[in-house]
Amino acid sequence: MSFRLSNNLLGILNFVTFLLSIPILVAGIWLSRKAITECERFLDKPIIIVGVFLMVVSLAGFVGACCHVKWLLWLYLVVMFILIVLGIAGTIFAIVVTNKGAGRVLSGKGYKEYRLGDYSNWLQKRVSDENNWFKIKSCLVDSKVCSDFHNQHMNESVTEFYKVHLSAIQSGCCKPSNDCQFTFLGPTNWTKGNGVFINNTDCNTWSNDLGTLCFDCQACKAGFIDNLRSSWKKVMVVNIIFLVCLIIVYSVGCCAFSNSRKSKS
């Protein structure tokens, strides 16, 4: 690849990346000012950091390629190499921690139930931490996942309800476990028996209050993890595509840096 072609191509790629970083940064700043819920406040800082990082790195690559600044190109390539290594390591880690666990099929039911112990120890520890779970629970309550679930199924009979397909979060957080053998009055309204549920502590945790339900249940944490697994698998596909793009840009950058050295020798 010629000196001019590699430098021009690298400059164009980084200019496009710089343009993409602007809406990301603006979105993060907007979110930090307009955020109301715990979920929204949780996202603003990472978005701003990603936006600033992309802007700085793309500017370094653009200036280094177009103005032939050798030390900026070198710094750019080092950062890109670190990003590629971290991306590969992160993808492998995500595959390992999301490989274990799945919902359990119930006889005569259209939905599955979830057990925290079925998932990786790393994910279990994350959701078992009180501070982490408080933030996650706040997000679930703010999203009104169980309120919508209640409104959607409130007019169904018990037979109809048992045939409904539920998401992992709905099954784990919005209704009691099948182990409890509660009497169905409504999707979020169940009558407890008088027994002590030794085999499943979630039965004693359940409350018919819409703000409580089973948000502190182990099944809710398991349902959240299962939902997270599905999301991570989709993100991994995007991440692999992103890594391929990074490697291509890195290769072009290496050509530009090599040609820059040759032109000065």
Side-chain angles (χ1 to χ4, degrees), residues 101-115 118-119 149 161-179 219-220 222-223 226 229-230:
R104 299 184 180 187
V105 177
L106 300 175
S107 177
K109 303 291 192 300
Y111 50 81
K112 298 178 181 180
E113 289 201 341
Y114 304 84
R115 299 288 185 272
D118 292 343
Y119 298 90
F149 163 81
F161 179 78
Y162 284 151
K163 293 179 181 179
V164 171
H165 173 75
L166 303 178
S167 70
I169 290 177
Q170 287 175 332
S171 178
C173 306
C174 306
K175 67 167 194 59
S177 169
N178 191 59
D179 294 343
C220 186
D226 196 83
R229 284 175 69 246
S230 300

